[in-house]
Each structure stands twice: as C-alpha cells, then as structure tokens.
Amino acid sequence: MKISRRTALKGSAGALALGLGGGLGGLNFDFTRAYAQAEKAKRGGNLNFAISAEAPHYDPHASDTYATLHLVAPFYSTLLRYNLAKFPEVEGDLAASWEVAPDQMTYTFKLKPNVKFHDGTAFSSADVKATYDRLRNPPQGVVSNRRATFADIDTIETPDANTVIFKMKAPNSSMIDHFASPWNVIYSAKDLAENPALPRTKINGTGPFTFVEHVKGSHVSGKRNENYFKPDLPYLDTFRGIFTLQAAAMLNALQGGQVLGEFRGVSPAERDRLVAAMGDKLRVEESSWTLNLLVCFNVEKPPFDDVRVRRALLMAIDRWGGSQGLSRISTLRSVGGVVRPGAPLATPEAELVKLPGFSKDIKKSREEARKLLKEAGHENLKFVLWNRNLAMPYTPAGIFLVDQWRQIGVTVEHKQSDTAPYIAALNSGNYEVAIDFSNLFNDDPTLSMTKFLSRDKNPLNMSRANDPEIDKLYELQLRERDIEKRKAHIRALEKRLFEQAYQQPLFWWHRIVLTHKTLMGWQMSPSHNLGAQLEGVWLNT
C-alpha cells in the first residue's frame, strides 16, 4: 500500500519537527487559480516565460542553481515530488506507490507502467537504479552534488521491471524528502551505460515536454510529450523559456506581454512598479523563501586559513540593521541561522544573537573585529569578493558587504561574473571570499546542513573546510529521533560552524512572483526549485 510522507515518518523526530505547518510561513498565493484549473483547464497554446539566468549545463545531479531546473525540469520526472497544494506533503511522480519499513531500513517503490523516455525506450526499475547509483557513487569524471545525501543507501534491488527496493545502512529520517528532491531526475540506464556524463550535454527524460532546442543566450523550447504517462497532460502545446539576464529587460517583457511570468522572484520595488503599470492584469504571490545567501571563505587561501580573520569579517556585518534597508530594495529579508527562520527547528533569535556574527551590538562587534585583525597581522586587509552578476539580490548583497567591511578598515574589490564562470570559480577554489548560496527546497535540517559537511564528503562545501566535529554532529542529528536531543545537536553544529567561521548565512530571501492572470495552473511555493515541470500550466485566453 502507499504510505504517505506523514505516515512513513510517524513517530520520528523529522516528522514531528517538520510537520505541515512549517513549510508555508508567510505564504500569499491565489487559490482561485488552482480551482479554476480543475474545472476549466484548456489545452493548447504556447507559453513564453522568463528565465533570469542561464544554466552552465543540463545535469541537475551536478547543479545547485535554479537556472538548471528552470531550463530542464519540463523534460524530466523524479521518483517522488512535492504536492505543492499541500506542501510539504509528498506524492508519486514515477512512483505509483511506496512502502517504508517500520525500522526505516527498507524503501520499496512500485513504478508506474508503460512509461517511455523521449527516445522511445521503455522506462523500468533499471533506470531508477542506474540514476541513484550515479547519485550516490558517481563514476570518474561525473559530479554528484547529492552524493552525501544518499550515502546511507546500502543496496538497490530491482526484482522486476516495476519494483525498486532501497536497503539502508542506517535509518535516515530525511529519506522521503530526498527521494522527492527536484534535483534527482531520472536518467536512462542505456544513456548512462553509453556515457555516464551524457546528461551534461544531452536531454532524454520521461517528462511532460520533449526537448526542441536550446539557443545559448536566447531561449530553450519544448513541445508536448504525446506519450506522457499522465493522461491529458500537459495542457500546453509548446513552451519557450526566454533568457532575460537583466532585470529591466525581464520586467519590460512581462509588462508588454512578451512573457507571462518569471518563476524565480522579483524585488519589492519591481513588484510595485509592475502593479502600478499593469493593475488587475497582474497576479502577485508572495512567500518566505527556502533560500539564503552565504558569506564563504576559502580556507585554503591565506589569510583566510586563519580563523581570526574569518571571524573578524563576520563580526563586522550588521545583519539586523542591514535587513531593514535591503528588504525594501531586494529579495533579501530575514536574519537566521542554518535553518529557515520560523521553521520548527530554526534557532530562535534570542539564541542566535549570542553567536559570532549575529550580535545586535554592532559597535562592540566591530571593535572586537578590529582587534582580531590586528592580532592576525592583517589590519590593512585587501581581497576580492567573488559574486554572481544577478542584479537581484547578489549585486546589492555584494555592495552591502563591501561597505560593511570598509567600516573596519578592510578594502574589498567586488568582482561579478555570469553564472557559469562564477560556479566554476567556486568549484575550483579559484577565489578568496565569495557570496555563495544555499538553494533548498524544504525546511529539513539535514538538507540545509549537508552543505556544511567536510569538503571530502560533499563538493557543495565551497569553503573547502574539512571538520570532523561538524561531520559528527551532522550524523548525530540525522539519527536522533528525540526532538529535543536533535535540536541540541543542530545547535551545537551551528555553534561550531559559526565559531570556526568557514561560511555563514548572510540573509534569507523573500519570494515575490509576478504572472499575467491569463497564466493558470502554476503553483506558488516557498522554493523556486519546485513546480518547474509546467505539466499543469494552461492559458486562459
């Protein structure tokens, strides 16, 4: 029988901590659109929408930027996914049903029959096994950003074409959430056998749309998959995702109707401009966001191998004052630790202010920062801050940090680049200090803390630090089923991370999505990584 997410995790710390109330804090979206879809959905038409960054490649397994998902998600399916109307409840995508053993050591999935890849080959359990083997143990030359996520999988069995059984090395209260991750798209076993790196450059999925073309710097397009395994879906004939890297160009296109939406998010000022210009033709939906920017130090580059230098720079940042100003001009809003503010396992403000970098007495913090730099012999520190050239919110975040560090006598050059070279620099370690991002899709603490595992365990740790103490605390919270004990492990990990100052959240984001009211069926959520398949979108024209 099918076990729901809540039933599967019944009695676990994960379920108690993450219950249904934690996911949609501050959500404001249009319920009438969802009801209209059920009653009046129309087939046909082409959707033009904006994508405000271009992906460095096509492989979500090796990516952590939404640009990859917004480009390729319509072409792929996952084993499970989130039901956005009931977020964070999980539903099947390629899985017809699933069972979780009471000891959480076995996960059995029954797959939907008669599914085909876009090249015409039949989908089976072998494809799921090949995909998850690649995720948990990538071959040489292949990058898996989810390797640590699936380290607890022991074996994957395929007793028949429609059954997959995951046997675990140890219980993991976050596994259902991991199986529902939008990043874990299913690839063809045949393609992976031919070339494990093929998904970086070739698209072949089972999703609602088939790939037509990608013209770099212009657009990506797809057409309805006539063999899609979900009856009557998708509604659209075609779609075109138009790359609009400049915010002004995107807003002009939205106002003029050249695009009907942009599914990442805009700033409050951009929202107000479009509302004034478009009136009741525009739909505005808002939510807190499972996304933050991080200040990240490359601990392999002197003087950032010195914890005193790193801590000094974090202590110089006035987060509480900065959030007030930045929230008026950007998508940056909340001050928080490693879990989204307001989520059940987030650190309360009264505890957060005691940690390095979060004091509300900024004068005292900056005095201490200057002392630390002097002790380290770097009173006149100069360095380059590496940043992404997305106007919202990377540019204002970079400008803010340069100003904060100037106030303790530090000189910073702010260097911004396109997404591909930006990510390449972080991955290669070719930077001193960077604005990184933690791109989450739910409030699961394991998900948010995976980024801080030692670099030798997780390539997403851009600080390049290896810290066995953080690894130990991560493991303890992952296995702990008592909610209060789990909180204690999370707080201890956060304290260690911030005292060592490898990397630290700067601000958490606030999501504002603008769409034309003729665009129906798209669902708002706290994550811009979700809902990118477009299978339920239709045009009310």
Side-chain angles (χ1 to χ4, degrees):
M1 68 176 178
K2 177 177 176 177
I3 307 295
S4 71
R5 176 181 188 271
R6 213 178 333 178
T7 302
L9 298 182
K10 187 176 181 181
S12 75
L16 292 173
L18 299 176
L20 297 178
L24 293 176
L27 183 65
N28 165 32
F29 70 98
D30 188 349
F31 286 97
T32 60
R33 179 168 57 182
Y35 297 141
Q37 176 191 356
E39 296 180 6
K40 303 177 182 178
K42 300 175 183 177
R43 288 177 66 84
N46 173 72
L47 169 67
N48 285 340
F49 66 96
I51 304 176
S52 55
E54 192 157 2
H57 53 75
Y58 296 154
D59 184 6
H61 294 185
S63 180
D64 201 40
T65 169
Y66 79 98
T68 302
L69 287 178
H70 285 212
L71 191 154
V72 307
F75 309 122
Y76 285 107
S77 308
T78 50
L79 194 57
L80 302 177
R81 68 178 188 180
Y82 288 95
N83 180 340
L84 298 188
K86 301 178 181 179
F87 185 83
E89 190 172 297
V90 168
E91 63 184 7
D93 196 9
L94 285 168
S97 63
W98 64 97
E99 293 185 41
V100 182
D103 62 0
Q104 297 183 16
M105 292 294 286
T106 304
Y107 294 77
T108 302
F109 293 88
K110 292 293 183 181
L111 305 177
K112 292 178 179 175
N114 305 317
V115 179
K116 290 186 176 182
F117 283 93
H118 296 163
D119 67 358
T121 59
F123 160 78
S124 74
S125 56
D127 302 300
V128 177
K129 175 175 167 47
T131 294
Y132 277 86
D133 280 341
R134 183 181 190 266
L135 282 162
R136 70 194 180 106
N137 188 24
Q140 186 174 2
V142 171
V143 174
S144 170
N145 286 356
R146 275 88 217 168
R147 184 180 64 186
T149 298
F150 295 109
D152 283 333
I153 295 175
D154 187 17
T155 62
I156 305 174
E157 301 172 5
T158 55
D160 59 59
N162 291 318
T163 306
V164 183
I165 301 172
F166 292 83
K167 297 290 184 70
M168 307 296 290
K169 298 174 185 176
N172 183 322
S173 61
S174 300
M175 279 307 295
I176 289 294
D177 284 299
H178 295 329
F179 285 128
S181 165
W183 303 100
N184 303 328
V185 300
I186 302 298
Y187 295 138
S188 161
K190 174 180 68 67
D191 287 349
L192 296 182
E194 175 187 335
N195 178 3
L198 195 64
R200 288 184 68 89
T201 56
K202 179 183 176 181
I203 294 173
N204 180 32
T206 59
F209 295 89
T210 61
F211 178 75
V212 174
E213 66 176 358
H214 170 210
V215 179
K216 188 172 177 58
S218 175
H219 66 273
V220 59
S221 60
K223 64 180 181 180
R224 179 191 291 124
N225 177 7
E226 300 295 350
N227 296 314
Y228 191 45
F229 59 90
K230 298 180 184 179
D232 302 321
L233 293 176
Y235 296 115
L236 296 168
D237 289 333
T238 58
F239 76 81
R240 176 173 287 210
I242 301 171
F243 303 120
T244 51
L245 277 58
Q246 299 301 318
M250 184 275 290
L251 294 170
N252 289 337
L254 187 60
Q255 182 177 339
Q258 287 82 30
V259 299
L260 297 185
E262 189 271 349
F263 303 129
R264 176 176 175 261
V266 302
S267 72
E270 291 165 342
R271 172 201 60 201
D272 295 345
R273 172 195 150 181
L274 266 291
V275 167
M278 297 178 64
D280 61 5
K281 295 180 181 179
L282 186 71
R283 180 186 291 108
V284 179
E285 297 172 274
E286 301 193 18
S287 171
S288 58
W289 208 336
T290 56
L291 179 63
N292 64 60
L293 290 186
L294 297 131
V295 181
C296 182
F297 303 105
N298 186 343
V299 302
E300 295 178 348
K301 297 272 191 181
F304 305 103
D305 56 347
D306 188 328
V307 65
R308 295 171 297 180
V309 173
R310 301 193 302 265
R311 282 190 66 166
L313 293 174
L314 293 181
M315 294 176 70
I317 303 169
D318 181 8
R319 285 176 171 80
W320 303 99
S323 67
Q324 296 179 30
L326 286 168
S327 66
R328 291 192 289 268
I329 63 169
S330 76
T331 55
L332 300 172
R333 179 169 294 193
S334 302
V335 179
V338 299
V339 179
R340 180 169 61 132
L345 290 180
T347 301
E349 184 177 315
E351 295 181 39
L352 191 66
V353 295
K354 300 174 184 177
L355 298 174
F358 290 95
S359 172
K360 291 190 175 182
D361 188 343
I362 190 60
K363 181 179 179 182
K364 183 178 179 180
S365 289
R366 285 176 176 162
E367 289 173 355
E368 179 64 22
R370 291 186 186 94
K371 289 179 182 178
L372 287 171
L373 288 178
K374 185 175 182 179
E375 288 175 11
H378 292 286
E379 291 177 271
N380 300 307
L381 182 64
K382 296 180 180 181
F383 62 86
V384 174
L385 173 66
W386 188 259
N387 195 7
R388 200 173 179 183
N389 67 352
L390 288 179
M392 192 52 57
Y394 288 82
T395 297
I399 293 170
F400 170 73
L401 284 176
V402 170
D403 177 67
Q404 296 294 290
W405 290 329
R406 177 187 59 80
Q407 296 184 54
I408 59 167
V410 173
T411 302
V412 181
E413 177 188 348
H414 185 201
K415 182 177 181 180
Q416 295 186 265
S417 75
D418 290 340
T419 297
Y422 160 83
I423 290 176
L426 265 61
N427 285 333
S428 67
N430 188 26
Y431 72 94
E432 297 174 298
V433 182
I435 292 180
D436 192 10
F437 57 92
S438 188
N439 194 3
L440 310 174
F441 55 87
N442 65 23
D443 290 317
D444 174 27
T446 299
L447 178 66
S448 61
M449 292 188 294
T450 299
K451 187 171 182 67
F452 308 120
L453 286 171
S454 291
R455 174 77 180 189
D456 59 12
K457 297 180 182 296
N458 185 13
L460 283 177
N461 183 342
M462 298 305 176
S463 75
R464 314 182 80 80
N466 289 302
D467 191 322
E469 180 64 21
I470 286 179
D471 299 341
K472 175 185 174 183
L473 292 166
Y474 172 90
E475 187 76 13
L476 287 170
Q477 70 81 29
L478 180 63
R479 311 301 173 200
E480 183 57 63
R481 303 187 70 164
D482 180 277
I483 188 68
E484 292 304 319
K485 291 180 180 178
R486 190 180 187 201
K487 280 184 181 178
H489 295 318
I490 294 168
R491 299 289 186 273
L493 185 153
E494 191 173 56
K495 185 171 185 288
R496 172 73 179 181
L497 177 69
F498 295 168
E499 287 181 344
Q500 294 301 308
Y502 304 124
Q503 49 189 320
Q504 190 177 74
L506 179 61
F507 296 109
W508 288 78
W509 299 22
H510 180 76
R511 191 179 186 201
I512 306 171
V513 174
L514 308 178
T515 57
H516 280 247
K517 287 190 174 178
T518 55
L519 188 152
M520 310 296 289
W522 181 81
Q523 293 179 295
M524 181 66 168
S525 77
S527 171
H528 64 313
N529 298 316
L530 302 177
Q533 280 185 301
L534 305 180
E535 67 176 22
V537 172
W538 58 281
L539 303 178
N540 189 20
T541 56

